[in-house]
Amino acid sequence: MLSIEQLKTIYPDLEVNQLPHNAADTIDLMLDNQWLSIPRANLSESEQALLSRLGQPAENEQRSWYSFLWGLSTKLPTKSECDSRVIQFQVKFTDNAVSKADWLAALQAYFNQVYDAFWTDGMTGVLIEVKQNDAVETNFAGILQSVDAMFYTTTTFYVGHFWPVNQMLPGLFKMEQQLFSQSQKAAVNTFSPSLFQYLIQHDQGVASLIRALRVSLPADSETNQMVNLFFKNHGKLSQTAKQLFIHRNTLIYRIDKFYRLTGFDLRNNYDLTLCHLLMS
Amino acid sequence: MVEIDLDHIYKKYPNAEDAGYAVADFDLHIKDKEFIVFVGPSGCGKSTTLRMIAGLEDISQGDLKIDGKLMNDEAPKDRNIAMVFQNYALYPHMSVFDNMAFGLKLRKYDKSEITKRVDYAGEVLGLTDYLDRKPADLSGGQRQRVALGRAIVRDAPIFLMDEPLSNLDAKLRVSMRAEIAKLHQRLNTTTIYVTHDQTEAMTMADRIVVMSMGEVQQIGTPSEVYDTPNNKFVAGFMGSPAMNFFDIHYKDGQITDGEGLCLSVPEGRAKLLNEKGYNERDLILGIRPEDIHAEETFIQTWPQGVVTSEVIVSELLGATSMLYSKVDGTEFVATVDARDFHNPGDSIQLVFDLNKAHFFDSQTTEAIR
């Protein structure tokens, strides 16, 4: 296998990063626990094909979810109509004896239902979670600490949004990768704060994602009023309930229902602000 | 037997060149079976130190030894340490037994060994009757105990606990505090416990390490750090309500704030201040709320310690009252008998027991003793 230095002599515009660049105009591959981004512009088609394959475990291509999300196939990986979210993870192992399959199994066991979970290279992978009707927000920080304590790992989560499984999903997933690659690196990175950070730094690139989000949110005036009033009241339940002429518990019920429907928890400031902006 | 030596440990993050050390010159010998508590405000370096001991963070400088063996470069798994965190997640679909056994199963332990360890942890934690239940059927305290159980089954001689009770409500925290103390007595493990709650530190520790801004401020038993704090930070951090501080000037056995506060320093304390060269110098006076008295007997016995102050608010706590008062613009709190009730605006006489007061250098904030 070539070293990074050797690759640099072949591709002088190669960039070495801690995280994948995830941009359409570059190819990312992993070497020596670092991400190499090579601009596509100076590569022939066969070079692009070869380099794209270098960073990926071969068996992933047999996976329908991998092929679908990474744009190798347009065939829907499931017939289920349940929405899904892609949880990306990056893991630093300190114990070579730890089996990556065990690590993944331990992570997977925390979720009610998972479409698929697999490693995309030695350090990163994805878990595709099935949306549950009775869902409560997952304690990602707790999962992270528990898994890390069990395997002596240091894990970072990038938690995507719940989307319908249709032909738009690979594009949305790609955009989520782009958001997370530029978000502040917390142990648990979630969708709404990453989107805000991205929007502040860029004025384009996520228009179709915003459109998809708008479509996914309920359009009825009652929900709209609830979200906007809750935002204007700075997330105060009693005040909002009073102004909506409903009981506080009814408002809590509707907020929970909104979460089950959209995957956005209005009690989270980022989610509330994002929904307010999308729905106003 | 497990002893831990932290020999002048430093931590500097590679991407924070200008930020200085996250932990600086941490020097501590932890005895076998000792319960050590690292306490300090957020960002003081206590969790970073814990993670360096666990091997989850590199040590920039200094030696970490466990039983005399240098461990700086040992992998976390080879340190034989069990960790409990603040934020824990249990497997929702697994029983309590399986939640505790999961890590052992992954490590391919023998089935009978797994059963033995989980049964023991269940018994120690009072979970024997709940081993078949799912986490959703448990109370918050029981779930926290399962998280502890996952650490116990590892049978490690060292326990590291990083704010394990912070997610629990106040009442549960108090009961779990006692349970962890009992657990330590029973398991006899060397335990390092990180918290920002000084009450947890005072009630649980054999010795407390008080930290601030990456540096150890004081190491001592709970009574040592409470009664003889090294500096103003330790004095103010340990104790609830916190110690009261006054900027004062000392001259010939008298302290004054330049306005209405003028008190005589007891002979022994005055002698020490004179010997240390503090005559005619500015100092900081520290006095704990319980060392300020409102009883008539104190006023008569120690008239030179009487301070006339104005009551701001009085909080009745049952047996005692918190009397928030003001003297010359400086607010302070006194813990007085519940019967000493006063209305806001009342002018009252209080006695500062200067035999129990603390004096700090106004420049270095170090204790004068």
Side-chain angles (χ1 to χ4, degrees):
Chain A
M1 187 65 188
L2 291 170
S3 68
I4 294 177
E5 286 313 309
Q6 285 169 319
L7 271 173
K8 266 188 175 171
T9 59
I10 305 169
Y11 304 109
D13 43 5
L14 169 156
E15 274 183 38
V16 182
N17 300 305
Q18 291 301 310
L19 284 168
H21 204 255
N22 287 324
D25 56 354
T26 60
I27 287 177
D28 298 319
L29 63 130
M30 167 143 270
L31 192 62
D32 295 340
N33 283 344
Q34 288 184 298
W35 282 98
L36 314 181
S37 299
I38 306 171
R40 287 178 186 272
N42 302 329
L43 302 175
S44 69
E45 264 185 40
S46 56
E47 273 180 307
Q48 288 188 36
L50 181 67
L51 288 169
S52 298
R53 298 227 169 170
L54 269 179
Q56 321 278 358
E59 64 268 25
N60 274 349
E61 289 172 22
Q62 311 299 320
R63 289 181 178 273
S64 56
W65 271 98
Y66 176 83
S67 298
F68 180 65
L69 287 176
W70 267 262
L72 305 175
S73 160
T74 53
K75 191 180 166 204
L76 290 181
T78 176
K79 285 179 181 150
S80 162
E81 290 184 352
C82 293
D83 287 3
S84 70
R85 73 172 161 192
V86 182
I87 298 154
Q88 301 173 68
F89 47 83
Q90 188 176 32
V91 190
K92 193 176 143 199
F93 288 89
T94 60
D95 178 5
N96 291 332
V98 165
S99 147
K100 292 196 170 69
D102 284 348
W103 189 96
L104 193 55
L107 174 68
Q108 209 168 328
Y110 277 107
F111 296 88
N112 279 324
Q113 205 184 344
V114 169
Y115 277 129
D116 201 359
F118 49 87
W119 292 94
T120 51
D121 62 57
M123 279 176 76
T124 57
V126 295
L127 180 145
I128 302 123
E129 184 191 4
V130 182
K131 192 174 169 196
Q132 304 292 303
N133 287 331
D134 57 348
V136 287
E137 186 50 350
T138 312
N139 175 11
F140 281 102
I143 293 174
L144 183 140
Q145 290 200 331
S146 303
V147 174
D148 281 350
M150 203 183 298
F151 293 98
Y152 306 106
T153 49
T154 307
T155 304
T156 309
F157 282 137
Y158 302 93
V159 184
H161 183 61
F162 280 110
W163 300 107
V165 182
N166 59 28
Q167 294 303 335
M168 283 180 69
L169 186 57
L172 295 168
F173 169 60
K174 186 100 188 158
M175 276 184 228
E176 285 187 347
Q177 284 184 306
Q178 216 169 320
L179 297 186
F180 290 135
S181 71
Q182 292 175 36
S183 66
Q184 280 175 6
K185 300 294 173 275
V188 178
N189 301 275
T190 50
F191 179 79
S192 300
S194 302
L195 179 57
F196 280 119
Q197 278 172 29
Y198 186 89
L199 289 172
I200 286 164
Q201 289 160 13
H202 304 82
D203 53 2
Q204 54 188 2
V206 286
S208 51
L209 187 137
I210 301 279
R211 268 198 303 278
L213 280 175
R214 277 215 171 96
V215 171
S216 74
L217 293 175
D220 63 287
S221 59
E222 194 181 63
T223 311
N224 201 309
Q225 194 190 14
M226 173 185 77
V227 171
N228 290 330
L229 267 179
F230 198 43
F231 175 79
K232 281 173 190 158
N233 288 324
H234 310 289
K236 287 175 188 154
L237 285 166
S238 300
Q239 205 169 322
T240 309
K242 211 173 186 179
Q243 289 171 16
L244 287 169
F245 304 105
I246 56 175
H247 192 272
R248 189 175 178 275
N249 288 346
T250 310
L251 180 61
I252 291 171
Y253 170 79
R254 287 184 190 171
I255 287 169
D256 289 340
K257 192 175 153 195
F258 188 86
Y259 175 72
R260 291 195 296 274
L261 196 69
T262 65
F264 286 118
D265 182 0
L266 297 177
R267 280 163 286 219
N268 173 306
N269 280 337
Y270 284 107
D271 282 3
L272 176 60
T273 310
L274 183 60
C275 290
H276 166 72
L277 293 173
L278 290 167
M279 293 173 78
S280 33
Chain B
M1 168 157 158
V2 180
E3 296 196 340
I4 304 170
D5 276 301
L6 293 126
D7 190 1
H8 300 281
I9 299 277
Y10 288 77
K11 175 70 187 178
K12 190 171 186 120
Y13 286 101
N15 299 331
E17 288 302 320
D18 303 330
Y21 287 99
V23 176
D25 200 19
F26 194 107
D27 199 41
L28 173 69
H29 173 78
I30 300 172
K31 290 174 271 187
D32 185 33
K33 296 169 189 162
E34 200 172 12
F35 197 115
I36 290 281
V37 175
F38 295 171
V39 68
S42 295
C44 72
K46 52 193 189 302
S47 288
T48 306
T49 309
L50 196 79
R51 290 175 65 81
M52 284 194 282
I53 297 168
L56 302 173
E57 296 278 0
D58 293 332
I59 296 169
S60 307
Q61 198 183 316
D63 289 341
L64 167 71
K65 290 177 188 159
I66 297 179
D67 278 342
K69 188 185 170 200
L70 188 65
M71 301 301 282
N72 288 39
D73 299 322
E74 289 289 329
K77 72 175 173 77
D78 298 325
R79 299 186 186 201
N80 213 0
I81 282 170
M83 280 194 85
V84 183
F85 293 101
Q86 167 188 349
N87 211 330
Y88 59 93
L90 302 179
Y91 289 106
H93 314 297
M94 291 184 197
S95 64
V96 168
F97 183 97
D98 287 336
N99 261 286
M100 291 201 267
F102 191 75
L104 301 177
K105 282 180 186 166
L106 284 177
R107 286 185 176 77
K108 316 282 186 280
Y109 274 82
D110 186 67
K111 207 174 170 183
S112 60
E113 179 66 18
I114 293 174
T115 310
K116 191 175 121 194
R117 288 195 188 190
V118 174
D119 283 347
Y120 175 69
E123 190 243 312
V124 167
L125 294 163
L127 289 170
T128 304
D129 295 338
Y130 302 90
L131 291 176
D132 293 330
R133 292 203 190 171
K134 297 277 171 60
D137 302 326
L138 301 177
S139 68
Q142 287 166 333
R143 279 184 220 161
Q144 180 64 31
R145 276 188 262 163
V146 179
L148 283 170
R150 291 206 297 211
I152 292 171
V153 296
R154 292 175 91 145
D155 200 21
I158 302 172
F159 258 48
L160 305 183
M161 302 191 185
D162 193 354
E163 308 226 15
L165 307 183
S166 297
N167 274 7
L168 305 179
D169 63 55
K171 201 174 168 190
L172 197 51
R173 213 156 53 216
V174 173
S175 66
M176 282 303 293
R177 205 161 72 193
E179 294 214 20
I180 289 178
K182 272 193 275 175
L183 190 68
H184 172 251
Q185 283 164 14
R186 178 145 183 201
L187 296 176
N188 266 328
T189 48
T190 305
T191 303
I192 305 175
Y193 186 103
V194 162
T195 180
H196 62 269
D197 182 339
Q198 58 85 30
T199 313
E200 274 179 26
M202 290 292 290
T203 52
M204 298 170 88
D206 290 328
R207 278 192 301 158
I208 296 173
V209 179
V210 187
M211 295 182 74
S212 172
M213 297 171 80
E215 291 180 7
V216 173
Q217 303 295 316
Q218 187 164 359
I219 300 171
T221 62
S223 60
E224 279 167 356
V225 294
Y226 189 79
D227 294 333
T228 51
N230 277 354
N231 54 40
K232 188 185 169 197
F233 174 82
V234 176
F237 193 79
M238 302 304 291
S240 178
M243 185 183 280
N244 301 293
F245 295 106
F246 298 86
D247 292 323
I248 48 132
H249 186 79
Y250 172 72
K251 188 183 172 188
D252 299 334
Q254 297 275 320
I255 53 170
T256 169
D257 67 349
E259 295 179 56
L261 186 84
C262 183
L263 302 167
S264 294
V265 179
E267 204 175 312
R269 313 296 303 273
K271 192 177 167 212
L272 178 81
L273 292 174
N274 293 335
E275 280 171 6
K276 296 274 178 183
Y278 283 96
N279 198 24
E280 296 198 33
R281 280 180 62 184
D282 289 339
L283 299 174
I284 299 165
L285 165 72
I287 186 155
R288 295 213 179 270
E290 64 270 27
D291 297 327
I292 301 174
H293 305 280
E295 296 92 326
E296 194 55 40
T297 46
F298 273 94
I299 296 168
Q300 284 168 10
T301 329
W302 189 247
Q304 56 277 56
V306 173
V307 173
T308 305
S309 61
E310 181 194 335
V311 174
I312 301 168
V313 70
S314 176
E315 285 178 354
L316 180 65
L317 300 179
T320 57
S321 274
M322 294 294 173
L323 204 57
Y324 293 84
S325 316
K326 194 161 72 173
V327 58
D328 302 331
T330 305
E331 287 184 19
F332 65 96
V333 58
T335 310
V336 298
D337 194 283
R339 284 165 292 190
D340 281 318
F341 183 80
H342 299 277
N343 289 314
D346 282 358
S347 178
I348 56 157
Q349 288 195 314
L350 294 166
V351 175
F352 283 23
D353 185 353
L354 292 189
N355 280 308
K356 291 181 182 165
H358 303 260
F359 294 100
F360 303 96
D361 186 296
S362 62
Q363 300 297 314
T364 64
T365 71
E366 294 294 315
I368 302 164
R369 54 172 182 253

Coordinates of all heavy atoms in Angstrom, one line a residue, chain B residues 232-287:
Chain B
K232 N -8.3 31.2 49.4 CA -9.7 31.8 49.4 C -10.6 30.9 48.5 O -11.7 30.8 48.8 CB -9.6 33.2 48.9 CG -10.9 34.0 49.0 CD -10.8 35.3 48.3 CE -12.2 35.9 48.2 NZ -12.3 37.0 47.3
F233 N -10.0 30.4 47.4 CA -10.8 29.6 46.5 C -11.4 28.4 47.2 O -12.6 28.1 47.2 CB -10.0 29.1 45.3 CG -10.8 28.2 44.4 CD1 -11.7 28.7 43.5 CD2 -10.7 26.8 44.6 CE1 -12.5 27.8 42.8 CE2 -11.5 25.9 43.8 CZ -12.4 26.4 42.9
V234 N -10.5 27.6 47.9 CA -11.0 26.4 48.6 C -12.0 26.8 49.7 O -13.0 26.2 49.9 CB -9.8 25.6 49.3 CG1 -10.2 24.5 50.1 CG2 -8.8 25.2 48.2
A235 N -11.7 27.9 50.4 CA -12.5 28.3 51.5 C -13.9 28.7 51.0 O -14.9 28.3 51.6 CB -11.9 29.6 52.2
G236 N -14.0 29.3 49.8 CA -15.3 29.7 49.2 C -16.0 28.6 48.6 O -17.2 28.5 48.5
F237 N -15.2 27.6 48.0 CA -15.9 26.5 47.3 C -16.4 25.4 48.2 O -17.5 24.9 47.9 CB -14.9 25.9 46.3 CG -15.5 25.0 45.3 CD1 -16.1 25.5 44.2 CD2 -15.5 23.6 45.5 CE1 -16.8 24.7 43.3 CE2 -16.1 22.8 44.6 CZ -16.8 23.3 43.5
M238 N -15.7 25.1 49.3 CA -16.2 24.1 50.2 C -17.1 24.7 51.3 O -16.7 25.6 52.0 CB -15.0 23.4 50.9 CG -14.0 22.8 49.9 SD -14.8 21.6 48.7 CE -15.2 20.2 49.8
G239 N -18.3 24.2 51.4 CA -19.2 24.7 52.4 C -20.4 25.3 51.7 O -20.3 26.0 50.7
S240 N -21.6 25.0 52.3 CA -22.8 25.6 51.8 C -23.7 25.9 52.9 O -24.0 25.1 53.8 CB -23.5 24.5 50.9 OG -24.7 25.0 50.4
P241 N -24.1 27.2 53.1 CA -23.7 28.3 52.2 C -22.2 28.6 52.3 O -21.6 28.2 53.3 CB -24.6 29.5 52.8 CG -25.0 29.1 54.1 CD -25.0 27.6 54.2
A242 N -21.7 29.4 51.3 CA -20.3 29.6 51.2 C -19.8 30.5 52.3 O -20.6 31.3 52.9 CB -20.0 30.1 49.8
M243 N -18.5 30.5 52.5 CA -17.8 31.4 53.5 C -18.0 32.8 53.1 O -18.1 33.1 51.9 CB -16.3 31.1 53.5 CG -15.6 31.8 54.6 SD -13.8 31.5 54.5 CE -13.7 29.9 55.4
N244 N -18.2 33.7 54.1 CA -18.3 35.1 53.8 C -16.9 35.8 53.7 O -16.0 35.4 54.5 CB -19.1 35.8 54.9 CG -20.5 35.2 55.0 OD1 -21.3 35.4 54.2 ND2 -20.7 34.5 56.2
F245 N -16.7 36.7 52.8 CA -15.4 37.4 52.7 C -15.6 38.9 52.9 O -16.5 39.4 52.3 CB -14.8 37.1 51.4 CG -14.4 35.6 51.2 CD1 -15.2 34.8 50.3 CD2 -13.4 35.0 51.9 CE1 -14.9 33.5 50.2 CE2 -13.0 33.7 51.7 CZ -13.8 32.9 50.9
F246 N -14.6 39.5 53.6 CA -14.6 40.9 53.7 C -13.2 41.5 53.4 O -12.2 40.9 53.9 CB -14.9 41.3 55.2 CG -16.3 40.9 55.6 CD1 -16.5 39.6 56.1 CD2 -17.4 41.8 55.5 CE1 -17.8 39.2 56.5 CE2 -18.6 41.4 55.9 CZ -18.9 40.1 56.4
D247 N -13.1 42.5 52.6 CA -11.8 43.2 52.4 C -11.6 44.1 53.6 O -12.4 45.0 53.9 CB -11.8 44.0 51.1 CG -11.9 43.1 49.9 OD1 -11.3 42.0 50.0 OD2 -12.6 43.5 49.0
I248 N -10.5 43.8 54.3 CA -10.2 44.6 55.6 C -8.8 45.1 55.7 O -7.9 44.6 54.9 CB -10.5 43.7 56.8 CG1 -9.9 42.3 56.7 CG2 -12.0 43.5 57.0 CD1 -9.1 41.9 57.8
H249 N -8.6 45.9 56.7 CA -7.2 46.4 56.9 C -6.9 46.0 58.4 O -7.7 46.2 59.3 CB -7.2 47.9 56.8 CG -5.8 48.5 56.9 ND1 -4.8 48.4 55.9 CD2 -5.1 49.1 58.0 CE1 -3.7 48.9 56.3 NE2 -3.9 49.4 57.6
Y250 N -5.7 45.5 58.6 CA -5.3 45.0 59.9 C -4.2 46.0 60.5 O -3.3 46.3 59.8 CB -4.7 43.6 59.8 CG -4.1 43.1 61.1 CD1 -4.9 42.8 62.2 CD2 -2.7 43.0 61.3 CE1 -4.4 42.4 63.4 CE2 -2.2 42.6 62.5 CZ -3.0 42.3 63.5 OH -2.5 41.9 64.7
K251 N -4.5 46.4 61.7 CA -3.5 47.2 62.4 C -3.6 47.0 63.9 O -4.7 47.1 64.5 CB -3.7 48.7 62.1 CG -2.6 49.6 62.6 CD -2.9 51.0 62.3 CE -1.9 51.9 62.9 NZ -2.2 53.3 62.8
D252 N -2.5 46.6 64.5 CA -2.3 46.5 66.0 C -3.5 45.7 66.6 O -4.2 46.2 67.6 CB -2.2 47.9 66.6 CG -1.0 48.6 66.1 OD1 0.0 47.9 65.7 OD2 -1.0 49.8 66.0
G253 N -3.8 44.6 66.1 CA -4.8 43.7 66.7 C -6.3 44.1 66.4 O -7.2 43.6 66.9
Q254 N -6.4 45.1 65.5 CA -7.8 45.5 65.1 C -7.9 45.3 63.6 O -7.0 45.5 62.8 CB -8.0 47.0 65.4 CG -7.9 47.4 66.8 CD -9.3 47.2 67.5 OE1 -10.3 47.5 67.0 NE2 -9.2 46.7 68.8
I255 N -9.1 44.9 63.2 CA -9.4 44.9 61.7 C -10.6 45.9 61.5 O -11.5 46.0 62.3 CB -9.8 43.5 61.2 CG1 -10.9 42.8 62.0 CG2 -8.5 42.6 61.1 CD1 -11.4 41.6 61.3
T256 N -10.5 46.5 60.3 CA -11.5 47.5 60.0 C -11.7 47.5 58.4 O -10.8 47.2 57.7 CB -11.2 48.9 60.5 OG1 -12.1 49.8 59.9 CG2 -9.7 49.3 60.1
D257 N -12.9 47.8 58.0 CA -13.2 47.9 56.6 C -13.2 49.3 56.1 O -13.6 49.7 55.0 CB -14.5 47.2 56.2 CG -15.7 47.9 56.7 OD1 -15.5 48.8 57.6 OD2 -16.8 47.5 56.3
G258 N -12.7 50.2 57.1 CA -12.7 51.6 56.7 C -14.0 52.3 57.0 O -14.1 53.6 56.9
E259 N -15.0 51.6 57.2 CA -16.3 52.2 57.5 C -16.8 51.7 58.9 O -16.1 51.9 59.9 CB -17.3 51.8 56.4 CG -16.9 52.4 55.1 CD -17.8 52.1 53.9 OE1 -19.0 52.3 54.1 OE2 -17.4 51.5 52.9
G260 N -17.9 51.0 58.9 CA -18.4 50.7 60.3 C -17.9 49.4 60.9 O -18.0 49.2 62.1
L261 N -17.2 48.6 60.1 CA -16.8 47.3 60.7 C -15.4 47.5 61.4 O -14.4 47.9 60.7 CB -16.6 46.3 59.5 CG -16.2 44.9 60.0 CD1 -17.5 44.1 60.4 CD2 -15.5 44.1 58.9
C262 N -15.4 47.3 62.7 CA -14.2 47.4 63.4 C -14.2 46.4 64.5 O -15.0 46.4 65.4 CB -14.1 48.8 64.0 SG -12.5 49.1 64.9
L263 N -13.3 45.4 64.4 CA -13.3 44.3 65.4 C -11.9 44.0 65.9 O -10.9 44.3 65.3 CB -13.8 43.0 64.6 CG -15.1 43.0 64.0 CD1 -15.3 41.9 63.1 CD2 -16.2 43.1 65.0
S264 N -11.9 43.5 67.1 CA -10.6 43.1 67.7 C -10.3 41.6 67.4 O -11.1 40.8 67.5 CB -10.7 43.2 69.3 OG -10.9 44.5 69.6
V265 N -9.1 41.4 67.0 CA -8.6 40.1 66.6 C -8.1 39.4 67.9 O -7.4 40.0 68.7 CB -7.5 40.1 65.6 CG1 -7.0 38.7 65.2 CG2 -8.0 40.9 64.4
P266 N -8.5 38.2 68.2 CA -8.1 37.5 69.4 C -6.5 37.4 69.4 O -5.9 37.4 68.4 CB -8.7 36.1 69.3 CG -9.8 36.2 68.3 CD -9.5 37.3 67.4
E267 N -6.0 37.4 70.6 CA -4.6 37.6 70.9 C -3.7 36.6 70.0 O -2.8 37.1 69.4 CB -4.3 37.4 72.3 CG -3.0 38.1 72.8 CD -2.9 37.9 74.3 OE1 -3.8 38.2 75.0 OE2 -1.8 37.5 74.7
G268 N -4.1 35.4 70.1 CA -3.3 34.4 69.3 C -3.2 34.6 67.8 O -2.2 34.6 67.2
R269 N -4.4 35.0 67.3 CA -4.4 35.3 65.8 C -3.7 36.5 65.5 O -3.0 36.6 64.5 CB -5.9 35.4 65.4 CG -6.9 34.3 65.9 CD -6.5 32.9 65.3 NE -6.5 32.8 63.9 CZ -7.5 32.6 63.1 NH1 -8.7 32.3 63.6 NH2 -7.4 32.5 61.8
A270 N -3.8 37.5 66.4 CA -3.1 38.8 66.1 C -1.6 38.6 66.2 O -0.9 39.2 65.4 CB -3.5 39.8 67.2
K271 N -1.2 37.8 67.1 CA 0.3 37.5 67.2 C 0.8 36.9 65.9 O 1.8 37.2 65.4 CB 0.5 36.5 68.4 CG 1.9 36.3 68.8 CD 2.0 35.4 70.0 CE 3.5 35.0 70.2 NZ 3.6 33.7 70.8
L272 N 0.0 35.9 65.4 CA 0.4 35.3 64.1 C 0.5 36.3 63.0 O 1.5 36.3 62.2 CB -0.6 34.1 63.8 CG -0.3 33.4 62.5 CD1 0.8 32.4 62.7 CD2 -1.5 32.8 61.9
L273 N -0.5 37.1 62.9 CA -0.5 38.1 61.8 C 0.7 39.1 61.9 O 1.3 39.4 60.9 CB -1.9 38.9 61.8 CG -3.1 38.1 61.5 CD1 -4.4 39.0 61.7 CD2 -3.1 37.6 60.0
N274 N 1.0 39.4 63.2 CA 2.1 40.3 63.4 C 3.4 39.6 63.0 O 4.3 40.2 62.3 CB 2.2 40.8 64.9 CG 1.0 41.7 65.2 OD1 0.4 42.3 64.3 ND2 0.7 41.7 66.5
E275 N 3.5 38.4 63.4 CA 4.8 37.6 63.1 C 5.0 37.5 61.6 O 6.1 37.4 61.1 CB 4.7 36.2 63.8 CG 5.1 36.3 65.3 CD 4.8 34.9 65.9 OE1 4.4 33.9 65.2 OE2 4.9 34.9 67.2
K276 N 3.9 37.3 60.9 CA 3.9 37.1 59.5 C 4.1 38.4 58.7 O 4.1 38.4 57.5 CB 2.7 36.3 59.0 CG 2.5 34.9 59.6 CD 3.3 33.9 58.8 CE 3.1 32.5 59.4 NZ 3.9 31.5 58.6
G277 N 4.1 39.5 59.4 CA 4.4 40.8 58.8 C 3.2 41.4 58.2 O 3.3 42.2 57.2
Y278 N 2.0 41.1 58.7 CA 0.8 41.7 58.1 C 0.3 42.9 58.9 O -0.8 43.4 58.6 CB -0.3 40.6 58.1 CG -0.1 39.6 56.9 CD1 0.6 38.4 57.1 CD2 -0.5 39.9 55.7 CE1 0.8 37.5 56.1 CE2 -0.3 39.1 54.6 CZ 0.4 37.9 54.8 OH 0.6 37.0 53.8
N279 N 1.0 43.4 59.9 CA 0.6 44.6 60.6 C 0.5 45.8 59.6 O 1.4 45.9 58.8 CB 1.5 44.9 61.8 CG 0.8 45.8 62.8 OD1 -0.4 45.9 62.8 ND2 1.6 46.5 63.5
E280 N -0.6 46.5 59.7 CA -0.8 47.6 58.8 C -0.8 47.2 57.3 O -0.3 47.9 56.4 CB 0.3 48.7 59.0 CG 0.2 49.3 60.4 CD 0.9 50.6 60.5 OE1 0.9 51.4 59.5 OE2 1.5 50.9 61.6
R281 N -1.5 46.1 57.1 CA -1.6 45.7 55.7 C -3.1 45.3 55.4 O -3.8 44.9 56.3 CB -0.7 44.5 55.4 CG 0.7 44.9 55.1 CD 1.6 43.8 54.8 NE 1.2 43.0 53.6 CZ 1.8 41.9 53.2 NH1 2.8 41.4 53.9 NH2 1.4 41.3 52.2
D282 N -3.4 45.3 54.1 CA -4.8 44.8 53.7 C -4.9 43.3 53.7 O -3.9 42.6 53.3 CB -5.1 45.3 52.3 CG -5.4 46.8 52.3 OD1 -5.6 47.4 53.3 OD2 -5.2 47.4 51.2
L283 N -6.0 42.8 54.2 CA -6.2 41.3 54.2 C -7.6 41.0 53.8 O -8.4 41.9 53.5 CB -6.1 40.8 55.7 CG -4.8 41.0 56.5 CD1 -5.1 40.6 57.9 CD2 -3.7 40.2 55.9
I284 N -7.8 39.7 53.6 CA -9.2 39.3 53.4 C -9.6 38.4 54.6 O -8.9 37.5 55.0 CB -9.3 38.4 52.1 CG1 -8.9 39.2 50.9 CG2 -10.7 37.9 51.9 CD1 -8.6 38.3 49.7
L285 N -10.7 38.8 55.2 CA -11.3 38.1 56.3 C -12.3 37.1 55.8 O -13.2 37.5 55.0 CB -12.0 39.0 57.3 CG -12.9 38.4 58.3 CD1 -12.1 37.6 59.4 CD2 -13.7 39.5 59.0
G286 N -12.2 35.8 56.1 CA -13.2 34.8 55.8 C -13.9 34.3 57.0 O -13.2 33.9 58.0
I287 N -15.2 34.2 57.0 CA -15.9 33.7 58.2 C -17.1 32.9 57.7 O -17.8 33.3 56.8 CB -16.2 34.8 59.2 CG1 -16.8 34.1 60.5 CG2 -17.2 35.8 58.6 CD1 -16.6 35.0 61.7

